[in-house]
């Protein structure tokens, strides 16, 4: 994970331009941050714990060279010493890094043997010192950096700066890195929106490529292949930035704003994607094996596809958690389609699984919210979720949009796209009505009664089990309440032992073929002291609390997910946790 924002310019730029860029990357991690710059010929290193959001330099500070980083800790605790940038022992090489250097320990040991001292526990510090070591035998910074890349293993990107020569190098080998240009000012960032206030002219660095900037020679950015150092041409692209400017509007948090945007995002997801969905459905119909993959919330959407395609299209599809995909790779071949689900399009576990699928000759597709992402570019077919940028770390609107796209794809597989489309438009209207202020007020009252609990359970059956899984994840990650999801019928086979007087259990009980089973389980839990929070179309006598959800048929997947998002958001508020930035998390998980 981690966010990188750097620039090299032939004229001085206000340092807060760099800080503002870095603030846009906080979604990639917010354990600590740091920056390196040269002001009035003096090197200046800043490192702080926590979020960069409230930080700024004094207004008069300007620089031509700026490297900054927001960290999600992988190696070493959250301390100032472990924050980036990391300097070589001679303080000449400055590094900011995203990703993991897998063989860092053996490289570190060999450097320590040569007398190098390490200030941090990070894997990053080996890069700066390895470059220093290379430069003892040659003068060429580009070649030295390239040589170091041959020694390090793992998926990473980094920016290296040579203080003496003022050369800056960006390397991409598995984690995203994008170059932005304005005149002779070159920006290198983990994501393009970080420099959208300055420029929308970008070049994507691909894996195995280097961006090289030497302002002293008045050079623009030159691109090379890693290893061979063959110069390459990179297209400059003008990105659309109009709809990238994001505000909280009148909402207290981005999360609540994004939840409420589900009044219209489902419609947008299907309206703009009819042709792409038909194409995906045709591919699914042609293939013998269909795998959905994803992580976290996106994994639960993937898991729900099993029920969606079963119920609507009578089609068998499989699901695998992206990080486990390697273990089932022997089943993947040219008769397979592997469909990645992702909000960010940068989740490394899903990218790696798609790469494995490609290497086995499978067709790859993805349903992704971030259209500028790696997944979007590497898959044979890509469907944009069109939910708009999601800022809150916990996924909300992109989740229900992905569900809508899957439902419509299933209808398209049986040539009933129009019926599916109309059904989803009807769902959108019902969800719009549901999301009224009274509905939220009612959920706030329930959250107030339960926010102090240490444990909760969520039960569902069939596709509603995946709603339960998603609800439990939301409650865990936002309010840190230990919450487990169960198939309603499964609890009695052991886990019901955990129920005691007052244990809150959320029952997902829409009026479908599974309702009776869910209500029976709720009765069994209640007999043992559990308190039932029922989500259904109609109140049942077994419910102690009741949240009314409209009947959206297959669209219940979306309709029942939303109240659980609202509930977990308010559990976080009552517990005084920031729902936009839960502890230990990051929005884009670019490390394994
Ligand atoms: C939970 C959440 C995460 C992500 C997961 C995958 O609210 O947001 O579980 O769903 O990290 O991320 P994407 O969807 O970007 O691949």
């Amino acid at each position: 994970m981690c966010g990188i924002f750097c620039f090299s310019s032939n004229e001085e730029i206000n340092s807060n331009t760099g800080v503002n860029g870095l603030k846009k990357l906080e979604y990639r991690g917010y354990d600590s941050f740091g920056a390196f710059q040269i002001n009035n010929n003096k090197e200046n290193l800043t490192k702080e714990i926590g979020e960069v959001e409230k930080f700024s330099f004094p207004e008069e500070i300007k620089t031509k060279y700026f490297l900054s980083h927001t960290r999600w800790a992988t190696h070493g605790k959250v301390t100032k010493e472990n924050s980036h940038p990391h300097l070589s022992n001679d303080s000449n090489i400055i590094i900011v890094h995203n990703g993991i250097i897998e063989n860092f320990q053996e490289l570190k040991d060999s450097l320590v043997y040569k007398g190098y001292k390490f200030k941090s526990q990070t894997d990053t510090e080996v890069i700066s010192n390895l470059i220093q070591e290379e430069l003892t035998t040659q003068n060429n910074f580009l070649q030295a950096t390239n040589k170091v890349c041959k020694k390090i293993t793992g998926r990473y990107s980094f920016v290296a700066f040579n203080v003496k020569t003022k050369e800056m190098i960006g390397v991409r080998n598995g984690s995203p890195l994008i170059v932005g240009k304005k005149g002779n000012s070159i920006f290198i960032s983990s994501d393009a929106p970080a420099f959208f206030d300055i420029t929308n002219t970008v070049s994507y660095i691909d894996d195995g490529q280097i961006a090289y900037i030497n302002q002293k020679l008045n050079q623009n950015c030159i691109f090379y292949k890693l290893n061979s150092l063959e110069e390459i041409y990179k297209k400059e692209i003008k990105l659309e930035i109009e709809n990238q400017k994001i505000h909280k509007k009148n909402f207290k948090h981005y999360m609540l704003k994004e939840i409420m945007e589900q009044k219209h995002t489902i419609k947008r997801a299907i309206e703009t994607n009819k042709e792409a969905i038909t194409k995906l459905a045709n591919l699914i119909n042609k293939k013998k094996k269909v795998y959905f993959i994803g992580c976290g919330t996106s994994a639960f959407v993937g898991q729900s596809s099993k029920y969606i395609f079963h119920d609507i299209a009578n089609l068998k599809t499989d699901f695998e958690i992206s990080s486990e995909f390697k273990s089932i790779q022997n089943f993947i071949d040219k008769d397979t389609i592997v469909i990645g689900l992702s909000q960010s399009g940068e989740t490394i576990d899903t990218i790696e699984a798609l790469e494995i699928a490609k290497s086995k000759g499978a067709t790859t597709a993805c349903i992704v919210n971030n259209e500028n992402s790696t997944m979007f570019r590497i898959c044979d077919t890509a469907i944009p979720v069109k939910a708009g940028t999601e800022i809150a770390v916990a996924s909300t609107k992109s989740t229900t949009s992905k569900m809508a796209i899957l439902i419509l794809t299933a209808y398209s597989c049986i040539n009933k796209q129009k019926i599916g489309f109309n059904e989803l438009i009807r769902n959108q209207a019902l969800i719009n009505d549901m999301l009224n202020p009274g509905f939220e007020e009612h959920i706030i009252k329930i959250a107030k009664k339960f926010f102090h609990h240490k444990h909760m359970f969520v039960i569902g059956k069939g596709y509603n089990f995946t709603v339960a899984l998603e609800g439990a994840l939301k409650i865990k990650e936002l309010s840190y309440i230990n919450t487990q999801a169960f198939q309603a019928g499964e609890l009695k086979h052991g886990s019901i032992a955990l129920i005691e007087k007052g244990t809150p259990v959320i029952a997902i009980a829409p009026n479908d073929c599974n309702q009776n089973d869910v209500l029976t389980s709720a009765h069994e839990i209640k007999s043992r002291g559990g308190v039932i929070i029922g989500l259904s179309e109609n109140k049942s006598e077994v419910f102690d609390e009741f949240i009314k959800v409209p009947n959206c048929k297959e669209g219940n997947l979306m309709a029942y997910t939303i109240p659980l998002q609202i509930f977990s958001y308010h559990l976080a508020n009552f517990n005084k946790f920031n729902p936009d930035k839960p502890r230990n998390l990051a929005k884009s998980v670019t490390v394994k």
Side-chain angles (χ1 to χ4, degrees):
M1 270 106 89
C2 305
I4 291 173
F5 187 81
C6 306
F7 63 75
S8 166
S9 173
N10 64 348
E11 57 191 40
E12 300 232 295
I13 295 180
N14 192 310
S15 301
N16 283 329
T17 303
V19 175
N20 291 338
L22 192 64
K23 285 179 185 175
K24 306 251 172 61
L25 298 173
E26 264 205 325
Y27 72 89
R28 305 179 70 86
Y30 36 82
D31 288 334
S32 66
F33 65 93
F36 172 89
Q37 54 188 315
I38 301 180
N39 324 104
N40 299 324
N41 291 324
K42 272 184 76 182
E43 289 112 51
N44 186 327
L45 182 67
T46 309
K47 292 188 181 198
E48 299 291 342
I49 304 294
E51 302 166 15
V52 68
E53 193 171 325
K54 293 190 182 77
F55 180 83
S56 62
F57 288 112
E59 254 325 289
E60 66 281 5
I61 297 199
K62 290 183 174 161
T63 183
K64 288 182 177 177
Y65 309 104
F66 184 89
L67 288 92
S68 68
H69 185 272
T70 177
R71 179 169 187 245
W72 187 82
T74 60
H75 293 65
K77 288 195 173 141
V78 179
T79 60
K80 277 196 186 186
E81 291 70 35
N82 288 333
S83 304
H84 300 219
H86 287 286
L87 277 55
S88 55
N89 276 200
D90 63 2
S91 300
N92 185 45
I93 305 300
I94 319 296
I95 298 283
V96 284
H97 158 226
N98 168 205
I100 289 174
I101 309 300
E102 284 169 356
N103 59 341
F104 86 100
Q105 194 59 54
E106 74 185 73
L107 294 167
K108 186 171 176 175
D109 292 346
S110 70
L111 285 164
V112 169
Y113 184 73
K114 286 179 183 156
Y116 281 81
K117 300 260 182 296
F118 282 78
K119 290 188 184 143
S120 75
Q121 288 93 50
T122 64
D123 49 346
T124 309
E125 214 182 340
V126 295
I127 310 176
S128 47
N129 285 322
L130 281 172
I131 298 176
Q132 176 186 329
E133 178 64 11
E134 258 331 303
L135 286 172
T136 57
T137 53
Q138 62 164 305
N139 257 336
N140 189 314
F141 181 46
L142 179 63
Q143 279 178 14
T145 306
N146 188 49
K147 222 158 165 198
V148 167
C149 292
K150 289 182 187 170
K151 290 184 183 165
I152 59 181
T153 59
R155 282 181 170 270
Y156 58 83
S157 64
F158 67 82
V159 175
F161 181 70
N162 186 324
V163 177
K164 272 188 211 139
T165 63
K166 311 287 184 283
E167 294 158 287
M168 189 178 274
I169 292 175
V171 180
R172 174 176 173 154
N173 200 19
S175 305
L177 213 53
I178 298 158
V179 167
K181 290 185 193 172
K182 188 168 186 195
N184 276 347
S185 301
I186 308 292
F187 301 84
I188 309 184
S189 171
S190 302
D191 199 1
F195 45 66
F196 275 168
D197 285 344
I198 309 150
T199 181
N200 66 337
T201 306
V202 310
S203 299
Y204 285 97
I205 311 177
D206 291 319
D207 282 342
Q209 294 180 347
I210 288 181
Y212 173 79
I213 309 136
N214 189 346
Q215 293 290 351
K216 271 186 147 180
L217 299 178
N218 210 10
Q219 282 169 331
N220 214 309
C221 188
I222 306 176
F223 296 94
Y224 297 98
K225 276 190 187 161
L226 257 179
N227 297 329
S228 68
L229 285 187
E230 180 193 327
E231 194 174 327
I232 44 176
Y233 168 74
K234 285 255 126 196
K235 230 177 33 198
E236 280 183 12
I237 304 164
K238 296 253 183 233
L239 290 181
E240 190 63 58
I241 56 174
E242 211 42 54
N243 56 9
Q244 301 277 357
K245 301 217 163 147
I246 326 277
H247 305 283
K248 251 187 271 181
K249 297 195 178 147
N250 292 328
F251 293 96
K252 195 170 165 207
H253 296 104
Y254 283 108
M255 184 176 175
L256 189 58
K257 171 182 166 263
E258 289 160 9
I259 289 173
M260 292 305 165
E261 281 172 358
Q262 292 170 111
K263 288 178 181 183
H264 49 79
T265 43
I266 291 162
K267 181 164 175 254
R268 200 193 307 146
I270 52 165
E271 238 170 22
T272 46
N273 274 318
K274 282 185 193 163
E275 276 173 32
I277 287 172
T278 306
K279 191 174 161 199
L280 180 63
N282 289 340
L283 281 172
I284 290 174
N285 279 339
K286 267 191 213 143
K287 299 288 175 179
K288 288 198 182 120
K289 288 173 271 183
V290 183
Y291 278 91
F292 287 91
I293 57 169
C295 304
T297 291
S298 290
F300 300 142
V301 180
Q303 201 163 341
S304 69
S305 60
K306 182 167 109 185
Y307 304 99
I308 294 173
F309 283 84
H310 170 274
D311 291 359
I312 299 171
N314 199 24
L315 266 176
K316 180 178 174 345
T317 65
D318 276 305
F319 159 76
E320 192 53 69
I321 296 263
S322 304
S323 55
E324 294 290 324
F325 189 75
K326 205 155 72 178
S327 310
I328 54 123
Q329 61 178 313
N330 290 354
F331 303 137
I332 310 301
D333 55 26
K334 63 177 178 24
D335 290 326
T336 316
I337 179 166
V338 179
I339 303 162
L341 297 157
S342 178
Q343 189 290 128
S344 63
E346 297 294 352
T347 303
I348 205 68
D349 290 325
T350 306
I351 291 174
E352 269 200 9
L354 289 165
E355 285 171 353
I356 293 172
K358 244 184 186 191
S359 73
K360 295 270 176 180
T363 298
T364 55
C366 64
I367 301 173
V368 166
N369 198 31
N370 176 6
E371 292 171 46
N372 297 320
S373 62
T374 305
M375 259 180 243
F376 217 82
R377 286 183 293 127
I378 64 168
C379 284
D380 300 319
T381 295
I383 299 190
V385 169
K386 295 282 179 202
T389 306
E390 244 185 32
I391 300 287
V393 164
S395 267
T396 52
K397 57 179 179 170
S398 69
T399 307
T400 46
S401 290
K402 275 180 274 178
M403 290 169 175
I405 289 171
L406 286 181
I407 292 169
L408 194 59
T409 307
Y411 272 106
S412 306
C413 283
I414 49 164
N415 293 322
K416 289 191 175 165
Q417 191 180 83
K418 198 153 186 247
I419 294 176
F421 184 84
N422 291 339
E423 191 53 39
L424 285 162
I425 294 296
R426 189 186 74 89
N427 293 167
Q428 179 68 96
L430 290 170
I431 287 169
N432 195 329
D433 289 348
M434 176 179 82
L435 283 173
N436 61 59
F439 184 71
E440 190 193 351
E441 280 306 315
H442 177 62
I443 295 178
I444 292 174
K445 280 188 197 140
I446 300 175
K448 196 173 179 183
K449 288 186 193 165
F450 293 98
F451 76 93
H452 57 277
H453 279 265
K454 295 275 172 276
H455 304 278
M456 282 191 196
F457 296 91
V458 192
I459 57 167
K461 192 171 165 122
Y463 62 91
N464 284 310
F465 171 56
T466 62
V467 174
L469 285 166
E470 168 59 3
L473 177 64
K474 281 285 165 293
I475 296 171
K476 271 184 276 204
E477 67 178 335
L478 292 162
S479 65
Y480 319 145
I481 296 170
N482 180 12
T483 310
Q484 292 191 55
F486 288 96
Q487 289 99 336
E490 196 53 22
L491 207 60
K492 60 183 176 289
H493 295 289
S495 304
I496 202 164
L498 295 167
I499 302 292
E500 51 191 31
K501 192 165 181 286
T503 306
V505 179
I506 302 168
I508 317 287
N511 188 0
D512 62 14
C513 62
N514 292 315
Q515 191 182 41
N516 282 342
D517 290 349
V518 176
L519 295 180
T520 301
S521 298
H523 275 289
E524 290 160 2
I525 292 162
K526 199 168 168 142
S527 315
R528 285 151 183 90
V531 176
I532 310 295
I533 304 165
L535 271 67
S536 187
E537 201 186 337
N538 303 110
K539 195 168 177 355
S540 154
E541 30 131 23
V542 74
F543 297 159
D544 297 288
E545 304 288 342
F546 171 53
I547 298 173
K548 186 174 172 60
V549 183
N551 186 355
C552 292
K553 297 188 193 159
E554 292 97 2
N556 280 340
L557 202 54
M558 303 174 294
Y560 279 74
T561 295
I562 296 171
L564 295 176
Q565 295 170 347
I566 300 174
F567 184 56
S568 43
Y569 168 80
H570 285 292
L571 288 176
N573 274 331
F574 281 120
N575 278 304
K576 303 211 172 351
F577 301 137
N578 180 354
D580 280 346
K581 285 184 185 156
R583 72 182 178 208
N584 302 338
L585 299 184
K587 180 91 183 140
S588 187
V589 186
T590 59
V591 290
K592 291 216 272 181

